[in-house]
Amino acid sequence: QVQLVESGGGLVQAGGSLRLSCGASGSIIRLNAVGWFRQAPGKQRELVAAITSGGSTNYADSVKGRFTISRGYAKNTVYLQMNSLKPADTAVYYCNLQPPQFDYWGQGTQVTVSS
């Protein structure tokens, strides 16, 4: 069973930065569009950013200009660089294919931004 693994979360002050990583065995990340999603307490999971296999990107309005999604050199990893973080960015962050596949949700990584 394919599992996508997220890492890189943590506690940061408002205005700070974090870089999240998403990896998986095999070529599933390299061959597919991948998205970063987040879920804050009491809210629905939302798409934050996505990148196609060819490298085209799109972002939620709330993170445009602050977050950057990219692929690693070997393209088996997808990153989410998060700058100018706000308390509203506090959530569990997940990666998945885009559109997401039920069986590929991982444990996520917690991002907490303090004011």
Side-chain angles (χ1 to χ4, degrees):
Q1 181 178 353
V2 175
Q3 184 176 11
L4 278 68
V5 179
E6 306 92 347
S7 62
L11 173 63
V12 64
Q13 289 188 332
S17 298
L18 285 173
R19 189 175 82 155
L20 307 183
S21 298
C22 171
S25 59
S27 59
I28 190 166
I29 285 182
R30 181 170 56 86
L31 297 178
N32 291 280
V34 175
W36 277 99
F37 304 79
R38 68 185 181 188
Q39 187 167 21
K43 295 188 177 181
Q44 288 190 329
R45 194 171 298 182
E46 63 174 347
L47 176 66
V48 173
I51 187 167
T52 67
S53 57
S56 297
T57 59
N58 65 278
Y59 299 91
D61 288 343
S62 59
V63 306
K64 278 181 182 176
R66 301 188 297 120
F67 290 11
T68 302
I69 190 171
S70 62
R71 290 183 179 272
Y73 178 76
K75 299 185 179 180
N76 287 330
T77 305
V78 171
Y79 301 103
L80 186 68
Q81 177 67 42
M82 305 186 296
N83 299 328
S84 302
L85 282 162
K86 305 175 180 180
D89 296 317
T90 295
V92 179
Y93 284 71
Y94 303 87
C95 64
N96 201 321
L97 303 187
Q98 175 56 13
Q101 303 298 306
F102 177 80
D103 289 343
Y104 293 171
W105 290 113
Q107 297 299 310
T109 186
Q110 176 71 48
V111 172
T112 302
V113 184
S114 63
S115 56

